[in-house]
Amino acid sequence: MAAPKKGRSASAQSKPGRSLALILIAIVGLTAGMFASGHTTPRLGIDLAGGTSITLEAKSDQGSAINKANMDTAVEIMNRRVNGLGVSEAEVQTQGSRNIIVNIPKGTNSEKAREQVGTTAKLYFRPVLAQEATGSAAASPSASPSGSSSASPSPSASASGTGEKATSSSSPSASATSQGRAVTDALKADSTPSASASAKASSSASPSASASSGAAVTADDAALQAKYAALDCSKESVRAKAGEGVKPEDTTVACGEIDKVWYKYLLGPAAVDGTEVDKAQAVYDTQTAAGWQVTMDFNKSGAKKFATITGQLAQNTQPQNEFGIVLDGNVVSSPFVQNSITGGQAQISGSFTQEEAQGLANMLSYGALPLSFQEQSVTTVTAALGGDQLHAGLLAGAIGLLLVVIYLVAYYRGLALIALASLLVSAALTYVLMALLGPAIGFALNLPAVCGAIVAIGITADSFIVYFERVRDEIREGRTLRPAVERAWPRARRTILVSDFVSFLAAAVLFIVTVGKVQGFAFTLGLTTVLDVVVVFFFTKPLMTLIARRKFFASGHKWSGLDPKSLGAQPPLRRTRRPGGPAAGPVETKEA
Amino acid sequence: MSKLGNLGARLHRGEISYDFIGHRKLWYSISILITITAIVGLAVRGLNMGIDFQGGAVFTTEKTSVSVSQAEEYAKSASGHDAVVQKLGNGTLRIQIAGMDIKQSNEIKSDLAEDFKADPESITAELVGPSWGDQIASKAWQGLAIFMVLVVIYLAIAFEWRMAIAALVALIHDITITVGIYALVGFEVTPGTVIGLLTILGYSLYDTVVVFDSLKEQTKDLTKQTRFTYSEIANRSINGTLVRSINTTVVALLPVAGLLFIGGGFLGAGTLNDISLSLFVGLAAGAYSSIFIATPLVADLKEREPQIKALKKRVLAKRAQASAEEAPVQTRGDDTYGDEPEDAEAAVVGPRNQPASRGRGRGRPSGKRR
């Protein structure tokens, strides 16, 4: 952009002011948000502020060996659960041969963390054999829909393959009275699964015809029925025990909540295992009114099994066309199936809140813990580094910064004001963002990050050092300040962008690929790099443009840092000596 | 500070310049020497991995009145390692020491019991696993490898492949030296150290790219002129950005030096030492390598190019002709390229002005000498 010719040609003139106003508004807005949220300091990591330490003990009652490999896997999975983005500073490590310690920094929701690390998240997809609401006399929630297109027979969610949304089923046949028998039939069903997912079964009323999934009927089916009949899912104590000690290949009973009503389920053997889920994500479905959903991508074997089971289920009638998604013994969702879902992708929709959906997706993605754990103790811990460390660090950093200020003022004189203002803006933005990111994504600041921020100061300062040097070079060429400021900018801008892009590339790659603390570092690096560019573009440059109009700077005052004399500028390009013009030889002013 | 301003001006005009490229053999030798020292240090002493990487022992005491800092001292005297001491909610202490086996931990346990004046049975000792597991490490390596490939591709597109190679060499140089010095000093490697190394990685590349950007600009219309060889222009470009390099290095290093010498030295803060040492060495190496290693390396690689070779021939021939025609021009500055007297007249791009003391070329269109 060429330097504006005169006084107030609106467009070019208003620009610097506008950018400055913009960034100041941003700072004020963010700061207001920070105070409004009540988190006015960045959250500190365990090394600086201490936190909570949870000790978990592996339980051996489930026959799975407590060995080093399993413990290490559990550590990794827990680590990802409590530190998904790598910024929360939580630490997970084994202690002895059976314990795992989870340390979470102060200010983190320790209840939530305890839930996250404690649940084993064993997930199975089991065909539903029977289902009824507990406590209520209504045997089955499957109310026949009266041709309305929306109400699905059971208030449960529906599963659908991507691209083929299940519409409401319109063939509910299992009426309340037949429930009991349906169960019996199902349990006595022929245990050879019909592997051929044949053409759509015409509504065969008897479930035995299509008893899917090879229900392994054991001698205790009567016992199981009794258990099912007795199961009262409205009691929490009962719910907690319902899924205990069940092997995946067993037929079992379980509880599940749908729209605030507890249902009990009789479930067939697990058809697909949660470990066969490759990736799961929480997405907000804007298409339908389904709200939050969890999408799942199965791996190869999972996709095959899932296609088979859904193919079979689709031929059944309500509720036996449902499968229960059982997480740690509870049914989280029991979608019904209309047709075989191939392609290895599926959605679970239910009345999820955002947190529930994300939590479920998280657990599905990171898989089940190989062992179950029992909480042994929860205790607070003090900072791993003495408080003197942080103080020493901050004090030393402050002294270092003071030296930087002195150096900049000595070298750049008046320009140092711009440098310092830019640094202040940069620091304010960084601080506010870090404070806000604490509650938002669990961002916590540890000592290395504090040191990293101090280095980031150097990189931020470099951006305007590059620019200042360009401006001074232009002045040495004999230009006056305004054109110098404008001409220097495009060249400085390119340097700043190219070099910052390299830093940002590092941050992006590391953030995507790595886990844990390295990922946290990448996040901080990316943040400071972006802020650097923002500050230089929207603050430093406009400010330069503005001060170029000030007499103090434009006239090249001795203390402005832009004095052509002390910069050793040559007389203007036309080689005529102006009387009183700057001598060719550099003029010595006093040494700073 | 006008002296420095002056220096900047004279550097800008090319009146004074230091011959960085010409002395490249010296820089290479210095770097190779330091790098070899670093590698030897690494091989002989190895890295002293902290508890986060290799696990260690954790001791839990009974409720005690011993303060955290006292416990730290006890643990250090008992084991010779830095210990992490935390007070738990119930008044007990948790003391973590890196790299222990059962036998050692039992010895330390009895030592600690003595220090604490407690029954050895009241202190529990258990081995803890690393919190920085293999997976974090392997993913970190993977991420670094992918980044290196991408950054080389990016630099090859944004600049050219020679610069990409040189930047990579400078990067490896910086990291090696930092790690080696770390091994020599014998500090414990903590996650903080690793974060410090990653910071250096970013900074080293960043700094190199800033210098290369100016180099690229200066050598834009290189083959359209016959006054300077590539190396000379590369040298001018280093000298042109020298002030910026010095300032940036000072600004980046001052706070870190504060952390290292004030925070670590006087206040004796342990972990700060780890981080700030790696940062200080790395930042210094990064600033050094951009100027003394990366750019000369690019010049070396460029001078092998046929076009650039031909240019050098033309330049030298022209100079020989010039010196035959008229008395050789006195050079200013201390640089001689090869065996040719170098004309210290500046500037390839745009008009540059001669100091008044030199009347040659006055009145002619700028830049044209004959």
Side-chain angles (χ1 to χ4, degrees):
Chain A
M1 140 185 171
K5 277 271 182 294
K6 264 203 173 56
R8 307 219 171 276
S9 72
S11 66
Q13 289 298 310
S14 60
K15 265 197 176 161
R18 234 193 346 225
S19 306
L20 283 177
L22 200 74
I23 201 158
L24 290 175
I25 288 169
I27 292 176
V28 169
L30 283 170
T31 313
M34 178 175 85
F35 281 108
S37 74
H39 298 271
T40 52
T41 50
R43 184 182 293 170
L44 296 176
I46 301 169
D47 56 351
L48 298 176
T52 309
S53 176
I54 305 165
T55 309
L56 299 158
E57 189 185 13
K59 285 193 297 193
S60 55
D61 61 6
Q62 46 180 27
S64 54
I66 297 177
N67 55 25
K68 190 172 181 313
N70 275 349
M71 290 293 276
D72 287 349
T73 312
V75 164
E76 265 169 30
I77 291 171
M78 284 185 192
N79 201 359
R80 275 183 298 186
R81 286 188 193 172
V82 289
N83 199 1
L85 282 174
V87 295
S88 76
E89 282 304 304
E91 287 168 354
V92 185
Q93 61 194 127
T94 58
Q95 175 175 325
S97 57
R98 339 171 29 103
N99 290 347
I100 287 185
I101 308 180
V102 182
N103 294 317
I104 46 178
K106 217 184 216 147
T108 319
N109 182 346
S110 60
E111 284 301 313
K112 196 172 146 195
R114 282 160 68 181
E115 267 172 39
Q116 281 172 323
V117 292
T119 42
T120 44
K122 278 204 160 53
L123 177 102
Y124 298 107
F125 297 85
R126 294 172 175 268
V128 174
L129 304 176
Q131 166 196 31
E132 56 183 272
T134 4
S136 72
S140 149
S142 52
S144 325
S146 52
S148 77
S149 62
S150 60
S152 64
S154 86
S156 70
S158 69
S160 53
T162 27
E164 35 173 342
K165 279 255 181 289
T167 47
S168 126
S169 135
S170 57
S171 61
S173 59
S175 67
T177 47
S178 67
Q179 274 295 311
R181 187 158 359 114
V183 176
T184 331
D185 287 348
L187 286 170
K188 287 184 183 155
D190 184 13
S191 61
T192 50
S194 58
S196 66
S198 55
K200 280 250 176 295
S202 53
S203 60
S204 66
S206 97
S208 57
S210 58
S212 50
S213 65
V217 183
T218 45
D220 63 358
D221 63 340
L224 194 64
Q225 272 205 64
K227 194 174 174 184
Y228 175 68
L231 188 66
D232 181 5
C233 280
S234 52
K235 291 201 181 82
E236 198 175 332
S237 56
V238 176
R239 287 205 298 269
K241 285 207 182 97
E244 267 190 3
V246 177
K247 295 195 180 68
E249 61 272 18
D250 289 351
T251 310
T252 180
V253 294
C255 300
E257 190 185 22
I258 299 162
D259 290 340
K260 310 257 188 314
V261 182
W262 283 96
Y263 292 89
K264 57 182 176 182
Y265 292 86
L266 186 63
L267 299 166
V272 188
D273 191 325
T275 52
E276 287 166 320
V277 176
D278 233 1
K279 195 177 84 178
Q281 278 178 303
V283 290
Y284 188 77
D285 192 352
T286 48
Q287 307 277 317
T288 61
W292 281 95
Q293 299 184 323
V294 178
T295 59
M296 294 180 293
D297 293 352
F298 290 96
N299 64 11
K300 252 210 181 97
S301 68
K304 214 178 282 166
K305 289 183 195 168
F306 195 69
T308 313
I309 177 85
T310 48
Q312 289 166 1
L313 288 175
Q315 302 170 29
N316 298 354
T317 51
Q318 194 74 20
Q320 284 152 24
N321 63 354
E322 295 178 5
F323 62 83
I325 299 174
V326 187
L327 183 75
D328 288 338
N330 278 325
V331 178
V332 287
S333 171
S334 55
F336 64 86
V337 184
Q338 274 214 302
N339 35 34
S340 169
I341 298 171
T342 52
Q345 285 190 310
Q347 292 130 1
I348 310 174
S349 50
S351 40
F352 289 123
T353 62
Q354 179 179 353
E355 260 189 14
E356 282 168 352
Q358 271 163 350
L360 179 58
N362 215 350
M363 289 187 178
L364 291 180
S365 293
Y366 300 146
L369 293 173
L371 305 161
S372 336
F373 286 89
Q374 203 167 10
E375 214 171 77
Q376 260 200 330
S377 68
V378 178
T379 169
T380 57
V381 288
T382 56
L385 301 175
D388 52 344
Q389 293 254 347
L390 180 60
H391 290 153
L394 290 177
L395 182 67
I399 293 171
L401 279 179
L402 191 68
L403 291 174
V404 168
V405 171
I406 292 170
Y407 181 83
L408 285 176
V409 170
Y411 190 87
Y412 285 117
R413 306 257 169 104
L415 277 185
L417 290 178
I418 298 182
L420 298 180
S422 304
L423 276 180
L424 278 177
V425 166
S426 186
L429 276 173
T430 310
Y431 181 88
V432 172
L433 278 176
M434 282 181 174
L436 282 172
L437 285 171
I441 59 167
F443 181 87
L445 203 57
N446 57 1
L447 194 62
V450 174
C451 295
I454 290 173
V455 174
I457 291 168
I459 293 195
T460 308
D462 181 61
S463 294
F464 38 78
I465 288 174
V466 166
Y467 184 33
F468 290 167
E469 286 303 320
R470 285 272 189 212
V471 172
R472 289 163 70 127
D473 280 350
E474 296 287 342
I475 289 175
R476 287 176 186 132
E477 301 273 319
R479 290 195 176 79
T480 52
L481 183 58
R482 263 204 214 171
V485 164
E486 298 310 331
R487 278 183 59 99
W489 175 238
R491 294 157 77 191
R493 183 179 55 197
R494 200 196 56 203
T495 307
I496 292 166
L497 284 178
V498 169
S499 48
D500 271 338
F501 180 79
V502 171
S503 288
F504 191 77
L505 186 72
V509 170
L510 289 178
F511 186 78
I512 292 166
V513 176
T514 60
V515 292
K517 283 191 176 173
V518 181
Q519 197 179 25
F521 159 79
F523 181 86
T524 315
L525 178 67
L527 183 73
T528 50
T529 307
V530 170
L531 279 179
D532 174 26
V533 173
V534 167
V535 168
V536 170
F537 271 66
F538 294 97
F539 187 80
T540 311
K541 165 67 178 65
L543 199 60
M544 273 303 267
T545 310
L546 282 183
I547 68 133
R549 301 177 193 158
R550 312 289 319 167
K551 192 156 174 269
F552 174 79
F553 288 96
S555 65
H557 188 279
K558 200 168 62 178
W559 280 99
S560 66
L562 292 166
D563 178 8
K565 268 193 219 171
S566 56
L567 289 180
Q570 299 300 305
L573 302 180
R574 210 154 290 116
R575 307 268 156 91
T576 49
R577 283 286 191 87
R578 283 175 307 183
V587 179
E588 282 286 306
T589 48
K590 66 172 180 297
E591 181 57 45
Chain B
M1 200 53 92
S2 54
K3 250 197 188 148
L4 257 180
N6 245 318
L7 179 71
R10 297 174 61 190
L11 282 168
H12 176 73
R13 288 198 296 273
E15 284 173 35
I16 46 168
S17 71
Y18 182 80
D19 186 7
F20 290 99
I21 310 269
H23 296 112
R24 63 182 179 276
K25 295 270 191 312
L26 173 65
W27 317 132
Y28 293 168
S29 318
I30 292 175
S31 278
I32 288 169
L33 200 70
I34 299 177
T35 311
I36 288 174
T37 314
I39 291 172
V40 168
L42 200 58
V44 173
R45 297 201 47 163
L47 283 171
N48 181 2
M49 290 307 221
I51 194 164
D52 298 276
F53 298 99
Q54 59 166 6
V58 60
F59 303 92
T60 317
T61 66
E62 287 199 320
K63 195 170 161 93
T64 174
S65 56
V66 177
S67 76
V68 170
S69 53
Q70 267 177 313
E72 272 173 10
E73 275 165 40
Y74 291 154
K76 194 168 171 130
S77 67
S79 68
H81 288 278
D82 282 335
V84 174
V85 180
Q86 290 170 293
K87 213 177 194 72
L88 303 184
N90 50 10
T92 63
L93 289 179
R94 176 191 287 177
I95 302 167
Q96 299 191 47
I97 302 174
M100 295 280 134
D101 56 28
I102 296 278
K103 198 164 137 272
Q104 285 169 301
S105 76
N106 284 338
E107 286 167 19
I108 289 169
K109 183 170 144 178
S110 50
D111 282 358
L112 282 176
E114 247 170 72
D115 288 332
F116 279 77
K117 299 181 180 55
D119 177 15
E121 293 311 302
S122 69
I123 297 179
T124 57
E126 279 200 280
L127 295 183
V128 287
S131 67
W132 184 295
D134 295 342
Q135 201 203 7
I136 300 183
S138 68
K139 291 259 193 212
W141 285 117
Q142 198 186 336
L144 282 181
I146 293 173
F147 167 66
M148 297 277 185
V149 171
L150 285 179
V151 89
V152 165
I153 293 171
Y154 171 71
L155 291 179
I157 294 169
F159 300 116
E160 55 175 314
W161 65 266
R162 292 174 190 80
M163 291 191 182
I165 302 269
L168 203 61
V169 170
L171 177 67
I172 292 166
H173 162 270
D174 300 343
I175 297 282
T176 314
I177 286 180
T178 311
V179 173
I181 288 187
Y182 212 83
L184 283 173
V185 175
F187 282 164
E188 218 165 67
V189 178
T190 58
T193 318
V194 176
I195 302 297
L197 277 177
L198 289 170
T199 310
I200 289 158
L201 174 131
Y203 181 83
S204 166
L205 274 171
Y206 172 92
D207 199 54
T208 309
V209 167
V210 171
V211 175
F212 279 179
D213 193 61
S214 132
L215 179 60
K216 180 187 171 189
E217 192 186 341
Q218 298 261 0
T219 54
K220 214 165 32 192
D221 299 325
L222 185 74
T223 45
K224 291 182 188 156
Q225 52 89 46
T226 51
R227 293 174 58 203
F228 299 106
T229 64
Y230 187 92
S231 294
E232 288 161 10
I233 291 186
N235 210 42
R236 278 184 47 81
S237 124
I238 298 182
N239 281 296
T241 53
L242 197 58
V243 173
R244 171 261 147 196
S245 294
I246 293 170
N247 283 353
T248 300
T249 310
V250 168
V251 169
L253 272 182
L254 274 180
V256 178
L259 285 181
L260 181 62
F261 299 116
I262 304 167
F266 295 113
L267 306 171
T271 309
L272 270 183
N273 273 340
D274 305 351
I275 306 168
S276 51
L277 177 79
S278 66
L279 283 178
F280 187 83
V281 174
L283 293 181
Y288 168 87
S289 67
S290 307
I291 294 175
F292 293 86
I293 303 293
T295 317
L297 209 57
V298 173
D300 263 348
L301 290 169
K302 276 298 255 199
E303 291 288 5
R304 297 208 168 93
E305 228 184 324
Q307 263 185 312
I308 305 293
K309 265 188 184 159
L311 170 75
K312 189 172 178 177
K313 261 198 190 133
R314 283 205 303 275
V315 172
L316 295 185
K318 196 173 161 194
R319 279 188 200 159
Q321 192 190 4
S323 55
E325 274 179 23
E326 48 177 280
V329 183
Q330 218 188 343
T331 57
R332 183 186 287 267
D334 55 353
D335 40 356
T336 45
Y337 287 93
D339 46 2
E340 290 298 316
E342 202 253 333
D343 187 337
E345 196 164 344
V348 193
V349 274
R352 289 282 200 284
N353 309 300
Q354 296 302 309
S357 58
R358 311 189 51 210
R360 300 184 48 260
R362 283 283 146 120
R364 296 178 190 277
S366 62
K368 285 259 188 351
R369 288 183 45 218
R370 251 164 246 99

